[in-house]
Amino acid sequence: LTLSLTLTSRVVSSRAELEGMRLGALSARARSVGVAQVEIDAAQDDDAPREAVLAALVLKACPRLQPRYYTISSSAAADPNRLHVTCAIATLDGVAPGVCSGTLRDATVGSRVKGFLRPSSFRPPRGPKPAPVVLVGPGTGVAPMRAILRERAAALAAGDEAAAWGPARVSRATLYFGCKRPDLDHLYSEEMEAWRAGGALDALHVA
């Protein structure tokens, strides 16, 4: 991974010089670029290498890497003990892939990937009668819709009408899927056809 930063900085060659600018020019400079005041613990040696000081400046000024959120595209009912993630990786000559998507791309069987779960915001209809649902998923945004349809298909296959996305709650499911190039980006096309054949998906519309 190559980290490329453009910094406006002053070369610091000793602890004394660093202490003199810590609360003054350095703080003002940090505020001018929109970051919090940078605090640096310089080496005890007055002749600390300037490379070490600048490295500390970079590490302190850089924000922590933020988590990348993905919507799970699998169903606990249909896929017990498994978790599916739908991830697109854009490639461009000379540009490194995304940190998280690149890590997932390079993962192999047995690799460990750190993550955490958050409650889903998707809820089935709760009225006294079954209601139709319209699902819209452009590109990889189809992930939560796939999870819903996999759960609905599992409920229909098991005859569980009272399931969250079963017939007692959902009378009809319609999916709008953004797909400009069926030969390239029609994700889960075979599954969608199977859902239509099995009754989990009543109508499918693609871009």
Side-chain angles (χ1 to χ4, degrees), residues 96-171:
V99 175
C100 189
S101 58
T103 299
L104 293 176
R105 179 198 62 185
D106 297 335
T108 58
V109 176
S111 298
R112 284 191 174 189
V113 177
K114 292 184 178 181
F116 57 91
L117 299 178
R118 299 192 304 174
S120 173
S121 59
F122 291 92
R123 299 289 184 272
R126 296 185 178 277
K129 296 182 179 180
V133 296
V134 176
L135 310 173
V136 181
T140 57
V142 77
M145 314 313 164
R146 178 179 185 259
I148 290 171
L149 290 169
R150 286 185 68 81
E151 182 130 345
R152 179 168 167 77
L156 290 173
D160 186 2
E161 295 194 0
W165 296 94
R169 306 286 288 278
V170 177
S171 60

Side-chain angles (χ1 to χ4, degrees), residues 11-94:
V11 176
V12 180
S13 58
S14 69
R15 181 184 179 86
E17 185 179 359
L18 177 63
E19 291 295 336
M21 64 183 293
R22 285 183 65 194
L23 300 180
L26 182 58
S27 296
R29 190 184 303 279
R31 288 193 298 272
S32 71
V33 296
V35 299
Q37 178 176 328
V38 178
E39 294 291 341
I40 300 178
D41 294 324
Q44 296 299 319
D45 187 353
D46 287 344
D47 296 324
R50 65 186 65 185
E51 291 83 1
V53 175
L54 290 178
L57 173 62
V58 171
L59 292 176
K60 287 290 186 177
C62 289
R64 291 188 176 183
L65 186 64
Q66 297 300 305
R68 176 66 167 90
Y69 298 110
Y70 291 97
T71 301
I72 295 174
S73 56
S74 54
S75 160
D79 313 290
N81 303 319
R82 297 181 68 88
L83 187 147
H84 300 175
V85 171
T86 303
C87 172
I89 301 177
T91 58
L92 185 64
D93 290 342

